[in-house]
Amino acid sequence: MSEPIDVLAPWGDAGPAPVNQWRHDILGAAFESRTIELLPDAEGDNVATLVRYLPHRDPASTPRARSFPRFAALYIHGRNDYFFQTELARSMADSGAAFYALDLRKYGRSLRPWQTIGYTDDLNTYDEEIGESLDIIRSEQGDLPLVIVAHSTGGLIATLWAHRHPGALGGLILNSAWLEMQTLANLRSTIQPVLGQIAYYSPMWPVPMGSGPDFYARSLVDGWSGSGLTTPPSFSGNEDDPAFTGWDYAHEWKRPGSYPAQVSWLDAVLRGHEVVNEGVDISCPVLSMTSSGSYFGEQWDEQVFTCDVVLDVEVIAKRAATLGPLVTVAHFPGKHDLFLSDPWVRADVYSLMRRWCGAFVAAE
């Protein structure tokens, strides 16, 4: 039997961030976090955690990043995830953003020992912490245009939120948003009622998700240097990049091998997919970014580093094109999380985001 995971360990001796007060974050002096108290549920008390980036405390930030912001950005992570992408914060600030990130309830900084990691039975539940976070951001940034940047399951959550809150956003940026159930899309109408019945009677029943190798986690933890594969020549001079050495993050919060999915959680996701399939209407500009291709092979291969091994990018692109009247779809030869891809891919992703925000959200 495996040892229990201490979900508070990444905080160190200081413990979780205080309620309604900013304090230094685990990411260093340029980041602060604060705890947001939420309504309790059947498991007990809930919290969310808001993080903000302070470029004037960051020696690596640019003068442009330290100037007056032209818009505000809120990042929302995916499943088995939390915010640790400091390069994203720096890039967004250099694009003119006051940057914030939200660790949703039962994830990352917001996970508590009595909770089931990542669990919810209704994606609309996250409206509470998104709303509380936006109130804080508006209190600090006034009426600046707001952009939500969201990854994977967070992209589905943000898409549904934007649909229900027309006019609230100046832009929506999706990084491999989970907008549909891969190859099961054609079977959803059959599967969903069955899952719904199981969820009604046994909401915490673990859904069999297979036991194959987790190539995605391995690519993140080991990087190219530990992959045993032929390293691209482009890494010459980039041997200190985390895509080469392996990304540094808290395994208590972003777990190699992930964790079981409860049937009621999956039912909530499928209901979200159905809303997207039936048609959402997002009034603000949308930038939907995915990998150039998907790889679901059973062999450890270089494609693990250049493809999405989690989602079917063709299905995602098809759904993304229907989200609203102004949607930009872009593909890059990167991983499921494009922000954790090879350095030249990340540079292209951030360049597009910078130009897109300048064109559609906050012109120079």
Side-chain angles (χ1 to χ4, degrees):
M1 186 174 181
S2 60
E3 291 292 324
I5 297 173
D6 182 1
V7 299
L8 298 181
W11 285 110
D13 294 338
V19 175
N20 298 330
Q21 181 180 343
W22 292 109
R23 191 196 69 192
H24 66 274
D25 185 64
I26 60 173
L27 294 178
F31 294 87
E32 291 183 333
S33 53
R34 62 189 288 174
T35 295
I36 301 171
E37 291 183 317
L38 304 172
L39 295 173
D41 63 12
E43 291 190 321
D45 291 338
N46 284 305
V47 299
T49 311
L50 188 63
V51 181
R52 68 177 177 182
Y53 173 55
L54 303 172
H56 64 277
R57 293 186 186 174
D58 185 2
S61 68
T62 64
R64 176 185 172 95
R66 294 189 290 270
S67 62
F68 187 79
R70 293 180 287 112
F71 64 100
L74 176 65
Y75 175 73
I76 301 176
H77 58 81
R79 183 177 186 266
N80 189 28
D81 212 352
Y82 73 102
F83 170 67
F84 64 94
Q85 294 87 342
T86 56
E87 186 182 59
L88 169 64
R90 293 188 176 101
S91 177
M92 292 297 295
D94 189 61
S95 299
F99 182 84
Y100 297 78
L102 174 63
D103 278 11
L104 301 167
R105 69 185 71 198
K106 304 185 184 182
Y107 285 102
R109 296 168 179 81
S110 309
L111 181 59
R112 298 297 183 260
W114 58 86
Q115 295 176 330
T116 302
I117 183 171
Y119 177 71
T120 186
D121 60 4
D122 187 348
L123 299 185
N124 293 356
T125 300
Y126 297 121
D127 281 20
E128 184 181 7
E129 51 256 58
I130 294 174
E132 293 282 352
S133 297
L134 295 184
D135 285 345
I136 294 170
I137 294 172
R138 291 189 186 101
S139 72
E140 297 185 347
Q141 306 300 334
D143 295 328
L144 289 179
L146 174 69
V147 173
I148 287 184
V149 184
H151 170 57
S152 197
T153 311
L156 174 61
I157 293 167
T159 294
L160 298 173
W161 187 91
H163 172 60
R164 296 193 306 273
H165 297 81
L169 296 182
L172 176 64
I173 298 177
L174 301 175
N175 169 14
S176 302
W178 191 17
L179 301 177
E180 186 52 275
M181 193 63 182
Q182 291 88 272
T183 55
L184 294 178
N186 295 331
L187 301 176
R188 178 166 24 80
S189 61
T190 302
I191 294 172
Q192 190 174 347
V194 176
L195 286 179
Q197 286 295 313
I198 298 174
Y200 180 80
Y201 291 104
S202 302
M204 303 303 287
W205 182 71
V207 179
M209 301 292 283
S211 57
D214 191 342
F215 287 159
Y216 181 55
R218 180 179 172 185
S219 72
L220 296 181
V221 173
D222 294 344
W224 278 100
S225 65
S227 70
L229 302 170
T230 301
T231 302
S234 306
F235 268 107
S236 178
N238 289 292
E239 290 87 357
D240 59 346
D241 189 90
F244 183 78
T245 61
W247 291 90
D248 182 20
Y249 54 82
H251 290 184
E252 296 89 346
W253 294 347
K254 184 176 176 66
R255 300 179 183 178
S258 193
Y259 45 83
Q262 297 76 25
V263 65
S264 52
W265 174 85
L266 183 56
D267 179 57
V269 170
L270 291 181
R271 283 186 274 121
H273 290 163
E274 182 61 27
V275 172
V276 174
N277 179 54
E278 291 177 350
V280 298
D281 185 14
I282 299 178
S283 56
C284 69
V286 179
L287 171 60
S288 177
M289 305 181 297
T290 72
S291 178
S292 302
S294 296
Y295 175 68
F296 300 127
E298 298 181 359
Q299 300 298 318
W300 179 245
D301 185 272
E302 285 87 352
Q303 293 181 80
V304 170
F305 288 86
T306 59
C307 294
D308 193 323
V309 299
V310 179
L311 301 180
D312 184 334
V313 299
E314 292 185 5
V315 172
I316 301 307
K318 180 179 178 181
R319 288 287 182 264
T322 68
L323 295 181
L326 180 54
V327 179
T328 304
V329 177
H331 304 286
F332 301 88
K335 298 176 186 173
H336 172 57
D337 188 341
L338 294 170
F339 302 149
L340 303 180
S341 298
D342 291 342
W344 46 89
V345 175
R346 303 198 311 269
D348 287 345
V349 168
Y350 292 137
S351 175
L352 174 62
M353 291 171 59
R354 183 179 298 110
R355 288 179 283 120
W356 186 87
C357 287
F360 295 110
V361 179
E364 295 286 352

